[in-house]
Amino acid sequence: MLWRLFAIFWLCCSPALAEEEQVVLGLSQDRVAITANFDGSEILIFGAVKRESPIPSGPPLEVIVAVAGPSSPVTVRRKEKKLGIWVNTDSVLVDLAPSFYAVATSAPLTKILSDTEDLRYRVSIERAIRSVGAAMHIRGAQDFADAVVRIREDEGLYSIREDTVAVDEQTLFRTSIEMPADLTEGEYVARIFLTRSGSVISQFETTIDVRKVGLERFLFNMSRQQPVWYGLMSLVIAIAAGWGASTAFRLLREN
């Protein structure tokens, strides 16, 4: 009987405790359209902190914004030079890696988020990638996951942007996330974390829809759903373009 009373008390009190500070979020756009001349986009993320009581004293409120693209498995291969030729040797399947991942923070990440909370919420780039493990005979298995991070950082797909979230009076916050031109279609998940002393006190999640539109969408769907017709159409267009170019050059020479 006592434990039931305790459970009822906890259920009644925990929502009030959890709602002491909540995120109220806004986006400049919740949909990104990929067209022929698409060269990237910038998403403005802004919001406020809703409170039922005055701002707590002590450590200041910090904000972390993480935007992740669709995740998929990635096969990473190691190349080694044998007899003067670079060949593939070991390979590891990284279980899940986001196609795009950006983290913006109001202060250095390691100072506002503890390792325990990072492990729990998978905020840092290394924790956002899931690699269960490789075969026992493969040496340096972690190097394969690190290679995914390094390659995608060089391509501008992964980034940590510290001190780029502006927080005013521990109530209003804003930042912008730059998204490159070579985006993968799908739902991008934006997560916002409020932290104090390295602990997450509130979080909020929303999605951003990234899709091809117009002719690009039509061609993409055809290439996936009707590959034979897509190949024939591509062949006809290539022949027509070649014939048109040769005709134009011939006319120029005759004139």
Side-chain angles (χ1 to χ4, degrees):
M1 185 64 180
L2 183 61
W3 70 267
R4 290 184 179 178
L5 292 174
F6 177 77
I8 293 173
F9 174 78
W10 175 254
L11 290 174
C12 292
C13 294
S14 58
L17 294 174
E19 293 176 1
E20 284 185 358
E21 292 181 295
Q22 288 184 314
V23 178
V24 181
L25 183 69
L27 297 173
S28 60
Q29 59 187 98
D30 58 4
R31 187 172 184 270
V32 175
I34 301 177
T35 59
N37 58 355
F38 179 77
D39 59 356
S41 181
E42 185 178 75
I43 305 296
L44 176 63
I45 298 176
F46 56 93
V49 180
K50 177 184 176 182
R51 296 184 178 91
E52 301 295 337
S53 58
I55 298 175
S57 60
L61 180 75
E62 304 291 354
V63 180
I64 302 172
V65 178
V67 178
S71 296
S72 61
V74 179
T75 300
V76 185
R77 294 180 173 84
R78 175 186 285 137
K79 288 183 177 292
E80 293 184 358
K81 198 171 186 179
K82 295 184 178 181
L83 301 177
I85 301 175
W86 287 97
V87 295
N88 292 326
T89 54
D90 299 327
S91 66
V92 167
L93 179 66
V94 176
D95 301 273
L96 283 177
S99 58
F100 171 84
Y101 196 71
V103 180
T105 67
S106 58
L109 182 60
T110 55
K111 292 184 177 180
I112 62 176
L113 188 71
S114 66
D115 290 338
T116 302
E117 294 288 75
D118 188 17
L119 180 62
R120 179 182 179 185
Y121 293 98
R122 296 183 176 273
V123 177
S124 64
I125 294 177
E126 292 75 14
R127 295 279 165 74
I129 295 178
R130 296 187 181 182
S131 182
V132 175
M136 295 298 295
H137 69 277
I138 295 180
R139 56 182 173 81
Q142 182 58 36
D143 294 341
F144 291 83
D146 295 341
V148 175
V149 174
R150 184 175 63 254
I151 292 171
R152 294 190 173 179
E153 283 180 338
D154 294 340
E155 294 174 347
L157 296 174
Y158 287 2
S159 63
I160 292 185
R161 308 165 190 186
E162 297 179 327
D163 299 308
T164 59
V165 179
V167 182
D168 299 328
E169 302 296 331
Q170 299 192 55
T171 301
L172 303 176
F173 63 88
R174 65 187 182 279
T175 189
S176 59
I177 300 293
E178 295 180 1
M179 307 180 80
D182 52 341
L183 289 176
T184 300
E185 274 195 297
E187 283 195 346
Y188 285 59
V189 178
R191 296 183 297 160
I192 293 82
F193 301 93
L194 304 182
T195 70
R196 286 188 188 275
S197 301
S199 298
V200 174
I201 60 175
S202 179
Q203 66 168 323
F204 183 89
E205 184 175 305
T206 187
T207 58
I208 303 169
D209 191 37
V210 177
R211 301 290 175 188
K212 292 183 175 69
V213 297
L215 180 60
E216 291 74 19
R217 183 66 181 173
F218 170 75
L219 294 176
F220 178 82
N221 288 338
M222 177 178 282
S223 66
R224 297 296 188 274
Q225 300 170 6
Q226 298 175 312
V228 175
W229 287 107
Y230 178 79
L232 292 175
M233 185 181 70
S234 300
L235 181 61
V236 170
I237 292 175
I239 293 173
W243 177 83
S246 63
T247 301
F249 282 121
R250 187 177 67 254
L251 292 175
L252 289 174
R253 286 198 303 269
E254 291 176 354
N255 294 334

